[in-house]
Amino acid sequence: SGSSFHHLSQYGIAVSSQNGLVTGNTLSNLPSGIYFGSKGTVSGNTISDFTSNGIYSNGSATLYTGNTVTRGLNAGTTGIDIWSGGGSAIGNTVSQAGTGIRIYGGVVADNRIFGNSVAGISGLNAVVRNNVIYSNGTGIDLTTNGVDNLIINNLVYGNATGGIRTATNSGSAALHLIENNTVYQQGAAAITVSGSVQNTVLRNNIIWADGAAGTGISVAADSLRNYAGNYNDVYLTGGAKFGQWQGNS
């Protein structure tokens, strides 16, 4: 804890022991900041100017909290990359990477994520809640291979290519719950359901679509099975469309 690492040829910090704690460090100008391969906590670190991952984990049940991760130096970088199931990214600030937070099973909550060129949050089989996500490529982009995706109570705005997107890569009937989010999107779809999703609940969202190419809700022809959209408030400006259904506006 409390150390500074910079201009290295590999990870600044690598931990593989159980119940590890990495806290209060500053890391910059290196391929990846922190590797964590076990259960534990990574908190209060500042990581910048990396060429691969700010924080990378393939351990389960690890908490990543209060970290500031910024300036990935190419579009292939990821701010916080949680590879194994069960990890939680809570209360971090992640900006200016390719992807802000990538999650493969786990929780992403209470983070501020902005200025990432590909996506703010991506991954699969995740709970994504109470985040502020803006000025990214796509805001939230989740798929599933059999475990529910829950996207709840996020503020998503000003992203370039879409607000929230869901898909499946296995044809599974896992639930995609998109609930109580506020989404502003200009020139693209605020919410997109595609990729053979079979079980979607879209409810109680506030959606603002703007511009002639803007769309409130887009549901692909392959994703109509068990789709339920209720109690959503959709506001349209600048010639935006309420929705696309099977490719038709």
Side-chain angles (χ1 to χ4, degrees), residues 43-54:
S43 67
N45 301 283
T46 299
I47 303 163
S48 64
D49 301 295
F50 51 94
T51 57
S52 184
N53 302 294

Side-chain angles (χ1 to χ4, degrees), residues 17 103 140 210 218 232:
S17 61
I103 181 82
I140 300 171
D210 183 40
S218 178
N232 298 290

Side-chain angles (χ1 to χ4, degrees), residues 2-228:
S3 299
S4 178
F5 303 88
H6 59 88
H7 294 92
L8 301 175
S9 61
Q10 50 188 338
Y11 289 104
I13 299 172
V15 177
S16 57
S17 61
Q18 290 293 318
N19 301 313
L21 173 65
V22 177
T23 185
N25 301 285
T26 301
L27 305 98
S28 65
N29 294 285
L30 67 181
S32 295
I34 298 171
Y35 167 76
F36 210 87
S38 62
K39 179 180 179 181
T41 300
V42 179
S43 67
N45 301 283
T46 299
I47 303 163
S48 64
D49 301 295
F50 51 94
T51 57
S52 184
N53 302 294
I55 299 171
Y56 174 74
S57 170
N58 62 3
S60 61
T62 297
L63 172 64
Y64 306 86
T65 185
N67 301 287
T68 298
V69 184
T70 189
R71 294 197 302 273
L73 299 180
N74 60 71
T77 57
T78 301
I80 299 176
D81 194 349
I82 303 174
W83 183 261
S84 297
S88 298
I90 298 176
N92 303 282
T93 299
V94 186
S95 65
Q96 300 178 26
T99 298
I101 298 176
R102 183 165 56 179
I103 181 82
Y104 291 87
V107 177
V108 180
D110 302 305
N111 301 283
R112 185 164 72 99
I113 305 167
F114 64 94
N116 300 286
S117 62
V118 178
I121 298 171
S122 72
L124 73 163
N125 307 342
V127 177
V128 175
R129 54 178 170 81
N130 302 332
N131 300 284
V132 178
I133 304 163
Y134 60 94
S135 300
N136 304 283
T138 300
I140 300 171
D141 192 356
L142 292 185
T143 187
T144 179
N145 61 2
V147 179
D148 295 350
N149 281 322
L150 308 180
I151 304 171
I152 302 169
N153 200 38
N154 300 282
L155 174 60
V156 183
Y157 65 93
N159 297 288
T161 58
I164 297 173
R165 294 178 179 173
T166 63
T168 179
N169 63 10
S170 64
S172 77
L175 173 66
H176 296 255
L177 174 63
I178 305 171
E179 182 177 44
N180 293 337
N181 301 284
T182 298
V183 185
Y184 168 75
Q185 183 61 48
Q186 184 179 40
I191 297 177
T192 299
V193 181
S194 63
S196 301
V197 171
Q198 297 185 33
N199 188 6
T200 302
V201 175
L202 179 68
R203 67 188 177 205
N204 295 333
N205 299 284
I206 298 172
I207 301 165
W208 180 0
D210 183 40
T215 303
I217 302 168
S218 178
V219 182
D222 62 6
S223 300
L224 299 175
R225 184 176 178 182
N226 297 320
Y227 171 85

